[in-house]
Amino acid sequence: MTQSPNSINTEYANTDFDLKSNVAFDSLHSELQEACSVLQYTKGEDGNWHAVFEAKHNEDSRDRDAAMDILLIVEALESLSEPAKMELEACFLREFNIGFHCGDSWAYEHHVPQDVVRSVADSSCSIAVTLFPMRNQDGTSKMES
């Protein structure tokens, strides 16, 4: 099946590492910001502390995928101090959220190898998937807006 010239490809966007806790986790936040990009660290309206991190990349980011991003964050988790590890353990949400820009592709596959899934499980974390539609409700591209 051939795509039209103005079709949008589905592609990997990024992987967020999401944390939620009943208490602040300042040591964990401080240590992770050394190895990761901090997108958010705040006390939410729900009374819980929320944080979102992404992997930092030194190499060409066009070649990154979920496995690379997850392993970079897992590496940062493995190097945490004991106080930061205790704060991580206290988080009731520890989740790798894999995001995709959804286009016009009939089907899209993004492989996460077994060793990466095992690393997530060994870190006592979960995996989620978020799909970002790349078209507005009227069918126009969000990239043109």
Side-chain angles (χ1 to χ4, degrees), residues 59-71:
E59 66 279 348
D60 187 354
S61 63
R62 291 177 297 177
D63 294 332
R64 66 188 179 86
D65 61 9
M68 178 187 294
D69 287 349
I70 290 169
L71 289 176

Side-chain angles (χ1 to χ4, degrees), residues 10-18 54 64-66 69-70 96-102 108 110 112 127-134:
T10 298
E11 62 186 10
Y12 172 72
N14 67 329
T15 298
D16 291 341
F17 182 55
D18 299 330
E54 284 185 351
R64 66 188 179 86
D65 61 9
D69 287 349
I70 290 169
F96 290 91
N97 190 326
I98 305 169
F100 298 95
H101 293 139
C102 294
Y108 180 80
H110 191 90
V112 179
I127 296 176
V129 174
T130 298
L131 307 175
F132 302 104
M134 296 309 296

Side-chain angles (χ1 to χ4, degrees), residues 39-97:
L39 303 181
Q40 175 184 337
Y41 177 59
T42 187
K43 187 173 185 176
E45 292 180 17
D46 61 0
N48 294 311
W49 286 85
H50 302 250
V52 180
F53 300 90
E54 284 185 351
K56 281 186 185 174
H57 292 275
N58 295 327
E59 66 279 348
D60 187 354
S61 63
R62 291 177 297 177
D63 294 332
R64 66 188 179 86
D65 61 9
M68 178 187 294
D69 287 349
I70 290 169
L71 289 176
L72 285 170
I73 296 169
V74 166
E75 183 179 310
L77 297 177
E78 290 172 346
S79 68
L80 293 172
S81 67
E82 283 307 311
K85 286 180 181 178
M86 289 173 53
E87 289 179 352
L88 177 63
E89 191 175 309
C91 291
F92 62 85
L93 177 71
R94 298 178 299 272
E95 187 168 81
F96 290 91
N97 190 326

